[in-house]
Amino acid sequence: MGTVEYASVEESGLSDSLFRKFTELLQSLSGITLKDYKKYLMEYRLQKLVGPGKRFEGFEDLYRALMSDSGNLRAEFVNVLTTNYTYFYREEVHFRFLSHYLRTKASAQPYLRFWSAACSSGEEAYSMAITTAEEGILEKHRDVKILATDISLRVLEFAQKGVYPYHRIRGHVPDGYLKKYFFFDRHTNTFTVREPLKSLVAFRYLNLMGPYPFQKQFDVVFLRNVLIYFDTREKEQILSNIFSVMKLGGYLVLGLSESLVGVRHSFTPLKHSIYRKDVSNT
Ligand SMILES: C[S@@+](CC[C@H](N)C(=O)[O-])C[C@H]1O[C@@H](n2cnc3c(N)ncnc32)[C@H](O)[C@@H]1O
């Protein structure tokens, strides 16, 4: 579905002049400057707002709306284009996949390690933690950890605190989970991740280009919505690094709109965006 939408937006295209206007607007709103080579990235990111079935049919419509908007849409525009963009349960199907792994494979494992590689502000890692808790794994397994890494110290500091304003959580985390896994502070209108979830996740600085200083191997690695920043050679290096730190039979999960077409790697493609490390490839 993501790929189909990507193709249709590509056809309709973002003109150079509109790209410049969006770039200027982004700069004036956030201070972020996108270089020319990021035009494809902008097109891709704006698909969240533009395209068949979305709020705006074309890029021109979005631009007009942004010009007459004074708040919400502008904030959303900045969020969508900012590299740290993420939210709880983003691409929810992957958390269902993680649940399935926990139900079917966890009991046979002497230890469990999950990795949110490029975790941004932590929503992905905490969503993995909730999924793990919901499957009752914390009662059954003593050695369970979720590693969450990123290259940005700013987002890591935020993630480590585990405090999320209501507007970043709204609509993404079911009410039952909010009650069970968060404290609500009505003075600040924020939700704070509670124990034991909080200490299940360890946030660390790590550049995906390496080195990878891990002692134990990973069961499942979420590498979502980050490969887009690397060229083919770098993607191959990252995939090879990750392959070497995973358990046999472990799973690599990419973003739903990402593809490894034209990229050499040793994983077995399973289904859309999910890959496995098999014995035949080692
Ligand atoms: C769009 S966020 C993805 C967040 C989350 N994985 C998701 O899918 O919602 C991309 C993250 O990749 C991080 N990143 C970019 N280059 C990186 C690198 N070389 N090593 C580690 N993280 C990197 C950015 O700092 C950013 O937080």
Side-chain angles (χ1 to χ4, degrees):
M1 171 98 161
T3 327
V4 175
E5 284 173 8
Y6 186 15
S8 61
V9 170
E10 254 195 335
E11 276 154 33
S12 68
L14 174 63
S15 67
D16 286 345
S17 75
L18 208 45
F19 171 62
R20 271 194 302 278
K21 286 181 184 167
F22 279 133
T23 306
E24 281 162 20
L25 180 62
L26 180 68
Q27 164 125 50
S28 72
L29 295 174
S30 70
I32 295 169
T33 318
L34 295 177
K35 300 209 184 86
D36 284 357
Y37 71 89
K38 292 229 166 142
K39 185 178 135 178
Y40 77 96
L41 199 55
M42 178 181 281
E43 268 193 7
Y44 171 72
R45 294 234 170 100
L46 289 180
Q47 277 180 75
K48 180 116 178 54
L49 304 168
V50 177
K54 302 284 165 64
R55 251 185 295 164
F56 301 97
E57 244 174 60
F59 295 110
E60 192 70 57
D61 304 320
L62 170 64
Y63 187 72
R64 267 197 299 272
L66 281 165
M67 287 297 97
S68 56
D69 178 81
S70 57
N72 287 347
L73 183 61
R74 286 182 169 209
E76 206 173 345
F77 171 74
V78 172
N79 275 340
V80 165
L81 292 180
T82 304
T83 51
N84 300 118
Y85 183 67
T86 187
Y87 51 92
F88 280 90
Y89 286 98
R90 180 180 192 179
E91 299 174 355
E92 206 246 334
V93 62
H94 293 148
F95 297 94
R96 274 185 265 135
F97 177 77
L98 183 61
S99 288
H100 178 74
Y101 180 86
L102 293 164
R103 272 200 298 275
T104 55
K105 305 272 170 61
S107 59
Q109 302 297 325
Y111 65 87
L112 291 167
R113 289 291 179 277
F114 305 107
W115 180 15
S116 165
C119 63
S120 187
S121 36
E123 287 89 334
E124 179 177 271
Y126 288 126
S127 303
M128 293 169 95
I130 295 173
T131 306
T132 308
E134 282 296 300
E135 288 302 327
I137 299 297
L138 303 186
E139 290 85 47
K140 290 184 217 147
H141 251 279
R142 268 189 303 166
D143 194 1
V144 189
K145 288 204 176 85
I146 296 169
L147 175 70
T149 62
D150 203 282
I151 200 171
S152 159
L153 293 174
R154 184 179 58 81
V155 292
L156 285 171
E157 193 185 330
F158 179 95
Q160 178 72 61
K161 290 187 186 131
V163 182
Y164 295 91
Y166 177 53
H167 69 86
R168 285 179 65 154
I169 266 192
R170 184 179 42 205
H172 299 305
V173 183
D175 283 352
Y177 293 176
L178 284 178
K179 289 202 183 89
K180 205 163 158 188
Y181 299 114
F182 295 81
F183 289 118
F184 178 59
D185 182 335
R186 60 193 170 85
H187 301 296
T188 53
N189 215 18
T190 55
F191 285 87
T192 302
V193 180
R194 290 153 90 123
E195 296 295 353
L197 229 58
K198 188 132 190 287
S199 36
L200 187 61
V201 185
F203 289 97
R204 300 275 182 276
Y205 169 88
L206 183 131
N207 184 346
L208 283 168
M209 294 302 293
Y212 289 18
F214 305 130
Q215 275 146 19
K216 295 205 165 160
Q217 293 182 305
F218 293 99
D219 297 75
V220 179
V221 178
F222 276 35
L223 179 72
R224 306 187 312 157
N225 304 301
V226 65
L227 281 180
I228 195 159
Y229 305 121
F230 302 99
D231 64 26
T232 303
R233 195 191 51 78
E234 290 168 334
K235 283 181 190 168
E236 289 174 352
Q237 185 187 328
I238 291 169
L239 291 167
S240 154
N241 287 349
I242 292 181
F243 189 85
S244 67
V245 298
M246 286 177 61
K247 289 182 183 174
L248 265 183
Y251 294 91
L252 173 70
V253 179
L254 302 184
L256 280 179
S257 50
E258 296 174 302
S259 136
L260 294 184
V261 173
V263 180
R264 275 174 303 170
H265 63 87
S266 306
F267 291 97
T268 306
L270 270 197
K271 42 184 138 177
H272 185 64
S273 73
I274 299 183
Y275 298 78
R276 189 173 57 212
K277 174 170 172 172
D278 283 336
V279 69
S280 52
N281 303 331
T282 50

